[in-house]
Each structure stands twice: as C-alpha cells, then as structure tokens.
Amino acid sequence: MPRGPTRRHHIRGDRVDHTILLQRLQIGFGITDVALQWITSYLTERTQQIAYNRKLSSIQAVLFGVPQGSVLGPLLYALYTAELFHIVTRHRLRLHMYADDCQVYLSTPAKDAVTAVDRLSTCVTDINDWMTASRLRLNPTKTQVMWLGLSQQLDKIAIKEVPLLSTRVTVVDTARDLGVVLDCQLSLDVHVTAVCRRVLPTEAATANRMIIVEGGS
C-alpha cells in the first residue's frame, strides 16, 4: 500500500496578524485577563527601521509577524495555525508541522490513487481559503508532491501531476525535509549519497593540505 500523495508546503511566520492571533488565543485557547494582556503588550507597539547605505528609513509600526529568534515566537505561531489540524482532519488526511514547514499526507491503495488525489486537492483548497482569511500565503516555489511506497506499488500509479489550486504540481521522486533527502521508497540511498559527496571532497582537500614530516636519527 503506497503512502501518498504527500504534499509539502511552507507558510510565512512574518505574516501573522496580531489582531487575529489575540482573538484566537482568547476564543480558541481560553487565554484571558492578565495573561492575554501580557501577550498583547509583547506583540504590540513594536517598531522597525532599516539602515542602508548609511541612511535610516522612517520608523514604522510592526503590525504583523511574531518576534524572530524569541522563545514565544514559535509557540505563538503554532497556536495561530492550530486550526489547520481541524481542516485536514475533516478531510480524513493527516498533517505534520515543524515551525512553518507543513506536510499533508494520506495512505491509500494504488488502485485508489485518483480518489486520493481528489481528496488532497479538495483539502488544499480549504487550507488555502483558511490561510487567505488568516493573512497567510502558501509558498508555491516550495510546494512538492511525492508518492511513497514499494516499487511494485508505485509502478501501478500513472499520475505524474497533481492539480492544486490554479496550477499543476509535478510529482517528484525525492524531496528534502529538514535537511534529510527522502526518496519515494524511503531507502535513504539518495540522502547517503548526498552526504558522502559533501564529506569526501572536504576530506580530500584536508589531506592535500597535510605535510608529513618524517624524522630520523
């Protein structure tokens, strides 16, 4: 049974709307009173200024995004996007998120591949509608679709393109996920090869710079 299709996409944390975030914290997670006031104070009245070519831009208020490099930033972003899990679950699909990296996937027999693609496409449409309302945007340049499974099962699937929103995404055989190169059979052969290619030239260059001095009596 192949697992797929798997769709990977990125959303941007710097587009988080402060007003929407505070509403979701209050309504969806029950954060009120002093705790909500703390978070409000943490997010609001921030400003930014750009220095370029020895000149400073005018000071502008920061109305979107969570503070980068902060401890609360990733947590607030996770709470802001928590509703995505409900949307994906409603379509009987699964969602995995790490920071702003999202993967939507499902398991299906090879004979039901067409139905699986339809389910995935419908789910992505709902996700896109939610993201638009949340002032977020899919990153189309990092959107990938891949079938996962044994070669005997993958050979039965003729679908090479998947319709998503207003475009068609070509199915790939490999994809990089948090630094690991995954192939459609999850053998990790491609990842091992890629790591070896990075390591071996480094070792060769180091060896070429070594000078061996032999001492004698």
Side-chain angles (χ1 to χ4, degrees):
M1 176 184 295
R3 185 183 192 180
T6 297
R7 177 180 185 273
R8 180 173 177 238
H9 62 77
H10 288 251
I11 49 184
R12 299 280 299 276
D14 56 0
R15 294 177 179 270
V16 171
D17 185 293
H18 294 167
T19 301
I20 297 176
L21 172 59
L22 294 172
Q23 290 175 347
R24 290 177 179 174
L25 292 177
Q26 182 176 12
I27 298 174
F29 297 95
I31 299 177
T32 59
D33 302 327
V34 176
L36 186 63
Q37 293 174 13
W38 283 348
I39 298 176
T40 301
S41 175
Y42 179 71
L43 290 174
T44 58
E45 298 184 8
R46 289 180 176 270
T47 59
Q48 64 182 4
Q49 189 177 39
I50 298 175
Y52 177 73
N53 197 23
R54 298 183 179 181
K55 295 182 180 180
L56 292 175
S57 68
S58 59
I59 298 176
Q60 300 292 328
V62 178
L63 303 178
F64 300 90
V66 292
Q68 301 297 307
S70 64
V71 176
L72 277 181
L75 176 59
L76 293 174
Y77 181 80
L79 296 176
Y80 187 81
T81 57
E83 292 180 9
L84 282 174
F85 286 90
H86 300 295
I87 297 173
V88 174
T89 301
R90 189 166 63 242
H91 289 274
R92 295 180 292 115
L93 275 65
R94 296 182 179 181
L95 173 67
H96 178 268
M97 295 184 65
Y98 182 85
D100 61 349
D101 187 278
C102 303
Q103 299 171 8
V104 179
Y105 59 95
L106 72 156
S107 297
T108 181
K111 63 182 179 64
D112 296 333
V114 175
T115 302
V117 168
D118 290 341
R119 288 171 55 194
L120 179 65
S121 298
T122 303
C123 179
V124 170
T125 298
D126 286 352
I127 289 176
N128 185 67
D129 292 342
W130 177 88
M131 293 181 68
T132 300
S134 301
R135 296 182 181 272
L136 297 175
R137 183 176 62 87
L138 294 179
N139 189 336
T141 63
K142 296 184 178 180
T143 297
Q144 296 176 303
V145 176
M146 182 168 64
W147 293 101
L148 303 175
L150 299 175
S151 59
Q152 298 91 327
Q153 298 297 325
L154 294 176
D155 290 341
K156 300 177 182 178
I157 302 176
I159 300 174
K160 302 303 180 182
E161 289 186 335
V162 174
L164 294 177
L165 302 177
S166 59
T167 187
R168 300 184 68 87
V169 178
T170 302
V171 176
V172 298
D173 294 325
T174 62
R176 183 175 294 275
D177 182 27
L178 301 178
V180 178
V181 181
L182 300 177
D183 59 88
C184 56
Q185 298 184 50
L186 296 180
S187 67
L188 292 181
D189 289 345
V190 179
H191 178 69
V192 172
T193 300
V195 171
C196 291
R197 286 176 177 172
R198 291 198 303 268
V199 173
L200 292 178
T202 303
E203 291 182 346
T206 302
N208 289 334
R209 288 195 299 269
M210 293 175 62
I211 301 176
I212 300 176
V213 180
E214 296 182 359
S217 56

